[in-house]
Amino acid sequence: MDPECSQLLPALCSVLADPRQPVADDTCLEKLLDWFKTITEAGSSLLLLQENPCLLGLLCHMLKPQDLSPRVLAFSLRLAGMLAAQEDCFQYLQQGELLPRLFGEAGPLGGAAWTAPSVRSGWIQGLRSLARHPSALCFLADCGAVDTIFSLQGDSSLFVASAAGQLLVHILGLSLQGPAEGHPGLQTGDWPVCAQKIVSHIEESLRSAATPQITQALNVLTTTFGHCHSPWTQVLWVRLSPLVACLLEKDPVPAAHSLVDLLLSVARSPVLSSSSCGLWETLAQTLSHLSPTQAGPLALGILKLQECPQALRAQAFAVLLQPLTCVLEATAQAPGLLDSLDGTGGASVTVDTLLPSKAACVGLLCRTLAHLELLQPLPQRPSPWPQAPLLGATVTILRLCSGSATPTSDAGGHLCAFLVGCVRVQRAALDFLGTLSQGTGPRELVTQVFAVLLEYLTSPDSSPTVLKKAFQATFRWLQSSPETPGCSDLDPHAQLFLRELLPVLPKRLCSPCWEVRDSGLEFLTQMIGRWGGQAGFRRALLASEVPELTEQLLRDPESYVRASAVAATGQLSSQGLRVTPASPEHPGGQQKSLLAELLHILSTDSEGFPRRAVMHVFTQWLRDGHADVAGDTERFVARVLQVASQDLDWEVRAQGLELALVFLEQTLGRPSSHCPYAVTPPVAAPPSPLAQALRPLCRVQLFEFAFRALFDCDRPVAQKSCDLLLFLRAQTASYSGPQGSGNVPEVASVEAALQRWQAGDQGQPLGYLEPEVVVAVLRSMDLEGLRGALAESSDRVEKSPQSLLQDMLATVGALGEDEADCY
Amino acid sequence: MPEIRVTPLGAGQDVGRSCILVSIGGKNVMLDCGMHMGFNDDRRFPDFSYITRNGRLTDFLDCVIISHFHLDHCGALPYFSEMVGYDGPIYMTHPTQAICPILLEDYRKIAVDKKGEANFFTSQMIKDCMKKVVAVHLHQTVQVDDELEIKAYYAGHVLGAAMFQIKVGSESVVYTGDYNMTPDRHLGAAWIDKCRPNLLITESTYATTIRDSKRCRERDFLKKVHEAVERGGKVLIPVFALGRAQELCILLETFWERMNLKAPIYFSTGLTEKANHYYKLFITWTNQKIRKTFVQRNMFEFKHIKAFDRAFADNPGPMVVFATPGMLHAGQSLQIFRKWAGNEKNMVIMPGYCVQGTVGHKILSGQRKLEMEGRQVLEVKMQVEYMSFSAHADAKGIMQLVGQAEPESVLLVHGEAKKMEFLKQKIEQEFRVSCYMPANGETVTLPTSPSIPVGISLGLLKREMAQGLLPDAKKPRLLHGTLIMKDSNFRLVSSEQALKELGLAEHQLRFTCRVHLHDPRKEQETAMRVYSHLKSVLKEHCVQHLPDGSVTVESILIQAAAHSEDPGTKVLLVSWTYQDEELGSHLTSLLKKGLPQAAS
């Protein structure tokens, strides 16, 4: 601890001990504990206590009967635990009987303060920190803490109850660390008393008729098996598994969700899954006992396991597929599709039993689709993967939701009534449909997929969230369609689809919902990025109104849409897909050039998103040598930098530096390293003399921009500028020619200006700088030092412990009764 | 037994980050999704693991409702939806939907810029999150699904702030968010109808305060600004982009106009336009005065308040600057503060709350030597003032709202435990309802009485009306009929209709009773005596003597027979239908008393 903090600590401890002094901000005590944690983890807690006796004084003060603030009491309990985590400090505190008085019956446990959940939580967290060594275990046994923890498992506060369960797991693990690990064969009867007590408690809870107690026991076991893979866990499971299996005999199965978690945790444990204690049989039994909704997560968990008996996997997959089988059955799908789903072994279930009501139907279908979506990309997914029936079922569900399916049976009619217009199922089905694009399917089904997607994209009933997902799924399916052999164009089917899709897009771009316009533009940008160079796509796009509408959206009232329109227009222009001003379709012709339009957005748009999007487009254009830029690159860069330097949004200024870096690389040659800021000389230095190479940079006033950015009040801008200048300095080192022996007075005047900027003055612009002056200034600057300073977070001072202590002390007295304010 | 369960994950006995889980009628709703500005790690967000342990978030939660755009109510939303993975609907009002992303974006930039945090939500995430929002109008009943509906009410506080009623069947909960029961210069007062919810969840920031007159505070503020400007000083007012800033701008603008002051007032560039845009767009959300005068003069188009340029800070002479952010922890406000702090003629007015660690917090707690970066010490000589302009209901306002909504019980959130305790007692005493104040993580469970709607057949209703009694909600009346439960529907129909609908045959159920009478006469004579007796006693009923010798009173049949063993005793066999049970019992007891002696 630094001396300043040591000096402040006694005053703070006396403030904390004084119940009349309110603690200003509840985050302060948390931050104080963070600081103590750092200190105790780095050094001796005993030394900390000895050097700061005020801490001990504070803890002792908590023992006096008084009207203590629950927050300070909770803080003290946590601090005591933290300090006692080191055994020598624990012994030291034990000498004064401090710990039993804090954590035992005599402490807050028996007092009025115990009613505050924060105190109970502090008590648990204190013990959690303390329980690190064998002496702590004896202490826990002596002060009867374990019984209190048992009761806290059922605490009214979720946080306390959950922490109590975790503490039990921790104590169990600690008590078995020595004895049972050394002797894996040791039976529970030979385990330490503390561990035996916990095991008995778990057993008792599992036998209980009350579901909350069973849940607590199951949760403790789940955490234990999830975190600890020592051999003793196997002994524990062998002893408890019959009790767990007994739960399955009850109807309904109690605490099903926790039971599933436990069984999966056991199955995932390398120690337990390899043992033969009937785990797979229990899992199989559980799958058949649980309701379809409860069994879904278990089935998914089983299918995610790396190793598992094939029969169990088949059973699990059948459970997962059951709802979709039901859908196919009810809608009388082609028998082939049904067989491949149904053939996985499960008994045929009817819609009436599996999907009896709207709520049950919607809930189960959403879960099933989400589970299958998670399973699809995994290498351990079932093989063969029933791609075709899954596609068929998903398309059917989407049709039932949109009302375009015509059910032929009563069951189908019921399903239709449940699902029609259901946005939740639509979202889940579209997500899954998108994932299914990773696999192939029969041509006929793929056609159906495109048809249903088109239906959703066209339908006026599609909600904005559904449309967004429909766009995403469409892009994924287009991306996965096979390319025409010999050329990289879309296959004829996809082409056909695209011809139907493009007339839909303008409607979406004119939607009154900004969300829809934006999703449409995002989709368009992705499409151009992927197929912008392909003839078929280009023809279709140019024949549509899309490019024109996209450009109109540059003036959309919603800034998100303007930003997306900027990105899309930038892409269109890069690919030569922009509607030309001189085209016969646009008489009048005097259309503003896109560059001018984007520059206008950059200088005038009141929102940051469109301005940032413009910078992104400009950088990309510069990188790609876009025609509008290549004509007069220097003029372009100079104009953009000038506007960007004035921007209030630091991200725009930072992107200005990104653009400057691209220009710099193009002018001086690319750095050899992958990292753009790596300070390494280029492999082959261009032959031109340095001054000549730097002149274009000087002409675009890149240095003025970079030097100003170096002292920008927003740290990322300053950092980026520093990296850019360091890169430049390294580059210039390899050039021939003048080595910075510029005009001395001019160098001095630039340095003076830089100092003024650093001090916060805006000052006059530098004007044109000669390359020699730039080189001289660059060499004289301590850029490395600046980079070091910038690497530290700028609120480092405010975040320091000294600042925290000062703030807490300063608040005393300054805080009036009603001044604890909020927004 | 159906119940309503409420668990605060934030705002339970604190004013940190509001996030309250409500389970009602089997539906789960999250009310607000706030962030704690005082932390800069994951502790700033509510601990959502307590929801995710129930399975997939989107399956568990039916919807999220955001009351208003302040970050302690919506700051965790992009994290929750894009990083934790909630994919369901989010409801908020139109102004909240428009302003929320601006504040989230501002905060993101500060977190990334100032604190260098990498693991934070991105701009794209904010946008994707906002695309999940369903905007609602005031008093519009929005059907989340077939059973769950929500409705927004005006809450004052900030532009677009709303209270929400959440209803499933006959059960309902009202969540106030932050609200203000007194109108201010640009917003109106909160209002709710007498919706009598099962539970009212109300904020209680000023649970024990009766706030001083707003006029006094405003006068004080103007006086201080005026004095500083008069002595040639510069006044810095750090604010958040939207919210209280506009209230203060209107205040200063009006004052400048009235006093004909010349010192310039500036507002961070871009923000005035932005604010102006939103206030114009959502003019219906402002107070009556602003709405009325809007056609002649838009109150948000300021004559004296101009856009600020960084270079203006160095201009000589007095000026007033509104700069962001509001806690002096980064950006323009901090930059200007550093420039002006050293001059005792200058003044900084903090109009709201500052979290620990910020420069705002330090100067408000009286610290005058601040260590800045690079071990530089900044000596604060400028005058530091704190004036709270946050618009929350005070104790009186909270009581007023409880009275207005007439809830069955009240639950306090967004306040300090000690103050809540006081208000809890007051509410319980005055309104005779239960009041709860759970801490974060604690669950309050309220049993509710189920109300099951039953349809009544027109025939039955007409029959009842024919008796001349019109239905009256205040006078419950007994109605006989048959309850049919079919396809989750309940219907009350007449027995005849029920038999017909269900295709059942009618069975007559008759009660019988034997009454022994000492009467040596012949059976026919005994029956005649019974007839005469009943005819004289039951004048209002139809008593008949049938040719077969039996007697009837309505549906009741009485037959006389000789006793098999005792010829001096006659047995009266009485039988009746269940409809006439009352009369049957009365008649039996009458006969048991014996027949009057015949007049000789």
Side-chain angles (χ1 to χ4, degrees):
Chain A
M1 188 185 297
D2 58 39
E4 289 99 336
C5 292
S6 280
Q7 270 181 353
L8 294 167
L9 204 53
L12 183 69
C13 286
S14 48
V15 165
L16 291 178
D18 185 352
R20 289 163 305 170
Q21 301 286 1
V23 182
D25 188 328
D26 58 355
T27 61
C28 291
L29 293 173
E30 281 280 329
K31 291 175 192 169
L32 205 56
L33 280 169
D34 289 349
W35 177 50
F36 282 122
K37 191 167 178 238
T38 324
I39 297 176
T40 51
E41 277 173 357
S44 158
S45 302
L46 184 58
L47 202 65
L48 175 73
L49 270 189
Q50 284 165 344
E51 284 175 354
N52 300 282
C54 58
L55 288 175
L56 197 59
L58 174 68
L59 296 181
C60 291
H61 197 81
M62 293 300 124
L63 305 172
K64 294 179 190 163
Q66 56 193 320
D67 184 21
L68 278 170
S69 142
R71 280 190 284 180
V72 176
L73 186 53
F75 163 82
S76 307
L77 289 166
R78 290 172 69 185
L79 177 64
M82 214 178 262
L83 293 167
Q86 292 178 11
E87 201 157 2
D88 55 350
C89 193
F90 171 83
Q91 301 299 356
Y92 178 74
L93 291 170
Q94 276 294 65
Q95 281 165 22
E97 288 288 303
L98 185 75
L99 293 175
R101 285 161 73 201
L102 271 176
F103 291 100
E105 288 291 340
L109 189 52
W114 195 246
T115 53
S118 57
V119 173
R120 300 198 296 275
S121 178
W123 185 85
I124 292 180
Q125 289 180 67
L127 285 184
R128 176 79 169 79
S129 309
L130 178 149
R132 304 251 166 224
H133 38 76
S135 314
L137 276 179
C138 301
F139 167 72
L140 290 173
D142 292 346
C143 73
V146 177
D147 288 315
T148 311
I149 303 168
F150 290 158
S151 68
L152 286 176
Q153 277 186 291
D155 198 88
S156 62
S157 164
L158 282 176
F159 302 157
V160 174
S162 156
Q166 287 180 15
L167 179 55
L168 276 187
V169 176
H170 178 74
I171 295 172
L172 184 65
L174 181 72
S175 61
L176 289 168
Q177 229 168 36
E181 263 173 17
H183 310 277
L186 214 58
Q187 289 307 297
T188 45
D190 305 321
W191 282 4
V193 182
C194 189
Q196 284 196 39
K197 195 171 180 175
I198 295 173
V199 173
S200 303
H201 170 71
I202 296 172
E203 280 180 326
E204 204 179 303
S205 304
L206 287 175
R207 284 197 194 99
S208 159
T211 305
Q213 282 189 28
I214 299 173
T215 309
Q216 287 159 21
L218 293 174
N219 288 347
V220 165
L221 290 176
T222 305
T223 319
T224 306
F225 297 137
H227 288 85
C228 186
H229 302 140
S230 302
W232 61 262
T233 53
Q234 195 180 350
V235 180
L236 183 64
W237 177 237
V238 169
R239 177 162 165 177
L240 297 179
S241 55
L243 284 176
V244 173
C246 277
L247 296 176
L248 293 172
E249 286 159 18
K250 298 185 182 175
D251 189 25
V253 176
H257 188 83
S258 301
L259 180 64
V260 166
D261 285 349
L262 169 65
L263 293 176
L264 288 175
S265 160
V266 172
R268 283 186 206 116
S269 160
V271 185
L272 301 177
S273 59
S274 57
S275 68
S276 55
C277 45
L279 170 66
W280 307 125
E281 289 76 14
T282 311
L283 282 169
Q285 212 186 340
T286 315
L287 270 180
S288 50
H289 272 67
L290 295 181
S291 73
T293 315
Q294 294 165 334
L298 180 62
L300 175 67
I302 290 172
L303 291 167
K304 279 167 131 183
L305 292 173
Q306 294 295 338
E307 279 175 28
C308 163
Q310 193 51 42
L312 182 62
R313 284 173 64 82
Q315 189 191 348
F317 200 36
V319 166
L320 216 51
L321 294 177
Q322 234 174 20
L324 299 190
T325 314
C326 235
V327 170
L328 289 178
E329 216 168 43
T331 49
Q333 293 288 308
L337 286 184
L338 200 58
D339 288 347
S340 32
L341 273 191
D342 207 24
T344 39
S348 178
V349 214
T350 59
V351 171
D352 287 348
T353 52
L354 196 65
L355 310 167
S357 65
K358 180 167 180 175
C361 174
V362 168
L364 187 58
L365 281 181
C366 285
R367 284 185 182 92
T368 303
L369 291 164
H371 289 149
L372 289 167
E373 190 191 338
L374 289 171
L375 193 61
Q376 205 274 346
L378 300 180
Q380 67 268 38
R381 73 177 191 193
S383 178
W385 177 254
Q387 173 81 358
L390 287 176
L391 267 180
T394 315
V395 168
T396 306
I397 290 171
L398 282 167
R399 285 203 174 132
L400 286 167
C401 289
S402 68
S404 64
T406 42
T408 48
S409 64
D410 278 358
H414 276 135
L415 266 183
C416 200
F418 290 158
L419 296 182
V420 73
C422 181
V423 175
R424 268 185 74 186
V425 177
Q426 288 175 351
R427 284 197 309 250
L430 283 166
D431 275 343
F432 183 48
L433 189 66
T435 314
L436 282 174
S437 68
Q438 302 305 307
T440 52
R443 164 66 59 202
E444 191 197 339
L445 266 175
V446 176
T447 311
Q448 282 183 33
V449 168
F450 280 123
V452 84
L453 285 171
L454 196 65
E455 187 189 324
Y456 270 78
L457 292 173
T458 320
S459 168
D461 298 329
S462 298
S463 77
T465 46
V466 166
L467 268 174
K468 185 185 166 188
K469 289 190 188 287
F471 274 128
Q472 286 170 338
T474 304
F475 181 70
R476 294 180 77 174
W477 272 96
L478 281 172
Q479 223 177 359
S480 70
S481 19
E483 288 172 347
T484 311
C487 77
S488 59
D489 220 338
L490 279 162
D491 83 327
H493 278 86
Q495 294 268 17
L496 198 70
F497 169 69
L498 209 59
R499 272 204 286 279
E500 289 177 277
L501 171 69
L502 281 168
V504 176
L505 204 51
K507 284 185 195 140
R508 294 306 179 197
L509 296 180
C510 296
S511 165
C513 288
W514 73 264
E515 296 92 336
V516 176
R517 298 196 298 278
D518 192 74
S519 299
L521 286 169
E522 282 181 336
F523 171 70
L524 177 67
T525 311
Q526 280 182 314
M527 295 280 286
I528 305 165
R530 177 72 177 77
W531 292 288
Q534 291 158 14
F537 176 78
R538 294 174 69 88
R539 270 196 307 275
L541 190 67
L542 284 169
S544 73
E545 298 168 76
V546 172
E548 197 184 337
L549 274 171
T550 307
E551 215 156 309
Q552 283 173 21
L553 290 176
L554 289 174
R555 291 172 288 282
D556 195 273
E558 181 59 46
S559 62
Y560 278 137
V561 180
R562 291 201 297 279
S564 297
V566 166
T569 322
Q571 279 270 29
L572 281 170
S573 176
S574 295
Q575 298 285 353
L577 286 164
R578 194 174 166 243
V579 183
T580 51
S583 67
E585 293 88 351
H586 298 89
Q590 288 306 311
Q591 204 182 339
K592 218 175 176 181
S593 88
L594 183 60
L595 176 62
E597 182 128 23
L598 295 186
L599 266 173
H600 179 71
I601 293 173
L602 183 63
S603 18
T604 57
D605 203 299
S606 61
E607 300 281 350
F609 314 114
R611 303 201 304 271
R612 273 184 256 157
V614 169
M615 286 307 295
H616 192 76
V617 166
F618 282 166
T619 312
Q620 200 54 44
W621 280 7
L622 182 63
R623 216 172 253 144
D624 300 345
H626 187 278
D628 286 3
V629 175
D632 191 349
T633 310
E634 280 187 29
R635 187 157 173 261
F636 165 77
V637 174
R639 281 166 72 189
V640 175
L641 291 188
Q642 198 217 340
V643 182
S645 66
Q646 302 295 321
D647 205 289
L648 283 172
D649 185 338
W650 67 258
E651 281 172 301
V652 173
R653 299 199 295 280
Q655 281 183 355
L657 287 160
E658 186 67 38
L659 183 127
L661 184 71
V662 173
F663 183 61
L664 204 139
E665 284 170 357
Q666 288 177 348
T667 315
L668 299 180
R670 284 177 187 282
S672 59
S673 159
H674 289 298
C675 169
Y677 308 127
V679 188
T680 45
V683 177
S688 59
L690 180 59
Q692 198 184 328
L694 291 181
R695 198 137 281 141
L697 305 178
C698 293
R699 282 198 295 268
V700 301
Q701 303 216 328
L702 185 143
F703 296 107
E704 166 124 17
F705 176 52
F707 285 143
R708 267 193 199 276
L710 205 52
F711 307 112
D712 196 288
C713 62
D714 289 298
R715 195 172 64 117
V717 179
Q719 271 178 320
K720 206 157 190 155
S721 171
C722 195
D723 288 338
L724 181 138
L725 292 171
L726 275 164
F727 164 66
L728 181 68
R729 194 169 70 184
Q731 292 285 84
T732 55
S734 60
Y735 277 81
S736 55
Q739 291 297 304
S741 53
N743 182 340
V744 176
E746 210 177 330
V747 171
S749 106
V750 173
E751 282 171 351
L754 293 186
Q755 273 171 10
R756 280 199 303 278
W757 291 349
Q758 189 164 22
D761 287 341
Q762 300 303 310
Q764 291 298 307
L766 295 173
Y768 178 80
L769 296 175
E770 285 298 337
E772 294 81 3
V773 176
V774 171
V775 174
V777 172
L778 271 180
R779 286 182 187 154
S780 71
M781 287 176 85
D782 178 19
L783 288 171
E784 285 83 0
L786 193 61
R787 187 163 65 168
L790 286 168
E792 288 186 324
S793 160
S794 66
D795 63 350
R796 178 182 48 84
V797 177
E798 292 161 31
K799 259 167 62 179
S800 71
Q802 192 188 336
S803 159
L804 174 67
L805 298 179
Q806 279 168 345
D807 284 358
M808 289 181 81
L809 282 171
T811 315
V812 179
L815 194 76
E817 175 63 14
D818 293 319
E819 284 175 14
D821 212 334
C822 57
Y823 311 100
Chain B
M1 192 69 176
E3 58 189 25
I4 294 174
R5 271 177 294 124
V6 182
T7 313
L9 292 181
Q13 300 184 8
D14 76 7
V15 194
R17 38 171 146 50
S18 291
C19 185
I20 300 146
L21 287 177
V22 173
S23 291
I24 171 172
K27 301 281 167 185
N28 297 305
V29 178
M30 184 195 273
L31 303 171
D32 280 336
C33 190
M35 172 170 67
H36 200 309
M37 305 268 277
F39 288 113
N40 46 19
D41 51 25
D42 271 359
R43 282 174 291 183
R44 74 177 122 218
F45 300 126
D47 192 343
F48 296 121
S49 63
Y50 292 92
I51 319 176
T52 47
R53 70 173 50 165
N54 292 315
R56 283 178 72 238
L57 260 184
T58 314
D59 294 331
F60 177 75
L61 271 186
D62 290 280
C63 71
V64 174
I65 294 173
I66 300 293
S67 64
H68 64 285
F69 62 64
H70 276 153
L71 291 179
D72 59 334
H73 293 260
C74 73
L77 203 53
Y79 171 77
F80 184 63
S81 77
E82 305 310 304
M83 295 167 93
V84 184
Y86 171 70
D87 200 24
I90 301 163
Y91 292 91
M92 55 178 78
T93 65
H94 285 275
T96 307
Q97 187 199 24
I99 299 166
C100 207
I102 299 174
L103 297 192
L104 286 168
E105 184 64 17
D106 274 359
Y107 188 80
R108 182 195 68 80
K109 288 173 78 159
I110 288 171
V112 176
D113 162 21
K114 186 171 165 62
K115 300 181 174 146
E117 290 175 33
N119 188 22
F120 204 75
F121 49 76
T122 61
S123 276
Q124 183 66 35
M125 285 177 184
I126 298 175
K127 179 166 92 172
D128 289 341
C129 165
M130 294 317 292
K131 281 188 178 177
K132 292 175 183 168
V133 169
V134 181
V136 301
H137 294 287
L138 282 180
H139 306 152
Q140 171 200 3
T141 301
V142 178
Q143 212 68 43
V144 175
D145 59 32
D146 288 349
E147 291 144 357
L148 173 64
E149 62 181 46
I150 59 169
K151 190 174 177 181
Y153 291 93
Y154 192 76
H157 187 62
V158 286
L159 189 73
M163 306 193 261
F164 279 89
Q165 182 188 39
I166 302 112
K167 206 170 168 193
V168 179
S170 59
E171 293 170 19
S172 69
V173 169
V174 167
Y175 172 58
T176 65
D178 291 353
Y179 64 102
N180 188 8
M181 293 299 281
T182 48
D184 57 26
R185 280 178 189 266
H186 76 298
L187 296 172
W191 179 86
I192 195 162
D193 56 25
K194 210 171 276 306
C195 52
R196 299 194 177 99
N198 298 84
L199 178 68
L200 172 76
I201 304 175
T202 173
E203 68 131 324
S204 50
T205 318
Y206 293 136
T208 54
T209 316
I210 303 296
R211 300 206 73 188
D212 57 346
S213 150
K214 190 189 277 298
R215 298 272 164 214
C216 285
R217 244 174 310 139
E218 287 178 356
R219 232 186 348 257
D220 201 22
F221 168 76
L222 292 171
K223 191 171 158 235
K224 281 185 171 138
V225 174
H226 192 200
E227 279 170 4
V229 169
E230 282 294 290
R231 66 171 179 257
K234 294 177 167 64
V235 181
L236 171 65
I237 309 173
V239 287
F240 283 101
L242 282 148
R244 290 293 92 197
Q246 279 66 43
E247 178 80 0
L248 297 179
C249 282
I250 295 179
L251 197 60
L252 274 190
E253 170 83 6
T254 322
F255 185 70
W256 247 238
E257 185 70 21
R258 199 175 69 228
M259 303 293 285
N260 197 21
L261 296 177
K262 296 285 177 250
I265 309 175
Y266 298 114
F267 203 111
S268 290
T269 322
L271 290 180
T272 32
E273 294 93 321
K274 221 181 280 183
N276 209 344
H277 170 70
Y278 287 117
Y279 279 89
K280 249 192 231 172
L281 204 60
F282 302 116
I283 193 74
T284 51
W285 287 79
T286 56
N287 70 22
Q288 220 174 4
K289 190 181 166 194
I290 292 199
R291 286 203 304 268
K292 268 187 182 169
T293 54
F294 185 70
V295 185
Q296 300 103 43
R297 183 177 158 249
N298 174 4
M299 290 281 265
F300 300 100
E301 262 165 20
F302 303 114
K303 186 175 148 195
H304 298 274
I305 304 174
K306 304 276 181 329
F308 181 71
D309 185 292
R310 267 183 286 180
F312 294 170
D314 298 322
N315 287 355
M319 68 174 85
V320 181
V321 176
F322 287 94
T324 57
M327 297 189 196
L328 283 182
H329 53 298
Q332 210 168 52
S333 62
L334 183 60
Q335 240 184 331
I336 300 172
F337 173 78
R338 288 171 79 156
K339 273 179 193 282
W340 294 356
N343 189 336
E344 61 273 12
K345 278 205 287 189
N346 297 342
M347 179 192 281
V348 58
I349 301 181
M350 307 295 298
Y353 161 76
C354 296
V355 297
Q356 187 276 326
T358 58
V359 171
H361 182 272
K362 283 180 189 297
I363 58 168
L364 280 183
S365 62
Q367 296 182 61
R368 290 293 174 265
K369 283 193 177 160
L370 308 178
E371 190 190 328
M372 308 307 273
E373 285 130 63
R375 295 257 156 195
Q376 289 176 340
V377 175
L378 180 70
E379 196 170 347
V380 182
K381 292 184 182 159
M382 76 198 297
Q383 198 179 331
V384 178
E385 295 291 341
Y386 173 72
M387 274 178 206
S388 170
F389 280 90
S390 65
H392 290 271
D394 62 3
K396 214 168 104 189
I398 298 170
M399 297 299 279
Q400 196 184 332
L401 188 88
V402 175
Q404 219 168 304
E406 286 191 4
E408 283 173 20
S409 41
V410 177
L411 188 143
L412 304 178
V413 291
H414 201 279
E416 291 168 52
K418 270 191 180 172
K419 294 179 183 177
M420 278 182 174
E421 192 62 59
F422 174 82
L423 185 67
K424 175 181 174 325
Q425 284 175 11
K426 219 170 154 226
I427 289 172
E428 286 179 336
Q429 272 168 15
E430 192 158 321
F431 297 104
R432 308 262 164 221
V433 296
S434 307
C435 185
Y436 307 89
M437 41 173 282
N440 286 332
E442 279 190 319
T443 303
V444 168
T445 307
L446 297 171
T448 54
S449 342
S451 155
I452 303 162
V454 175
I456 183 164
S457 80
L458 199 61
L460 190 60
L461 201 62
K462 276 184 180 165
R463 201 165 72 184
E464 282 294 308
M465 302 255 294
Q467 292 177 9
L469 299 163
L470 288 169
D472 183 352
K474 285 183 184 163
K475 287 182 191 159
R477 196 149 53 86
L478 202 63
L479 185 73
H480 290 273
T482 307
L483 189 69
I484 300 181
M485 292 188 279
K486 202 179 167 191
D487 298 333
S488 323
N489 278 325
F490 290 80
R491 274 185 317 125
L492 191 69
V493 297
S494 65
S495 313
E496 300 80 39
Q497 196 183 336
L499 289 170
K500 206 173 147 193
E501 270 187 34
L502 302 171
L504 297 174
E506 188 175 10
H507 296 271
Q508 277 264 334
L509 185 70
R510 291 189 79 86
F511 296 96
T512 57
C513 179
R514 282 167 194 270
V515 179
H516 292 85
L517 281 180
H518 183 73
D519 189 359
R521 276 165 264 204
K522 284 186 174 169
E523 290 95 336
Q524 289 88 342
E525 284 175 44
T526 309
M528 196 57 206
R529 284 183 69 202
V530 168
Y531 169 70
S532 312
H533 175 54
L534 295 179
K535 186 89 180 160
S536 62
V537 179
L538 304 170
K539 289 205 168 71
E540 287 172 10
H541 294 274
C542 170
V543 184
Q544 285 179 303
H545 192 205
L546 302 183
D548 67 351
S550 52
V551 179
T552 62
V553 184
E554 310 288 350
S555 74
I556 297 158
L557 184 72
I558 304 159
Q559 286 170 322
H563 196 282
S564 57
E565 289 167 12
D566 179 7
T569 302
K570 296 288 168 301
V571 180
L572 294 180
L573 197 68
V574 190
S575 86
W576 65 92
T577 63
Y578 80 99
Q579 286 95 337
D580 280 330
E581 206 196 330
E582 222 171 300
L583 183 63
S585 328
H586 174 59
L587 212 146
T588 320
S589 56
L590 207 68
L591 292 173
K592 275 181 182 167
K593 287 180 190 161
L595 298 174
Q597 290 300 311
S600 49

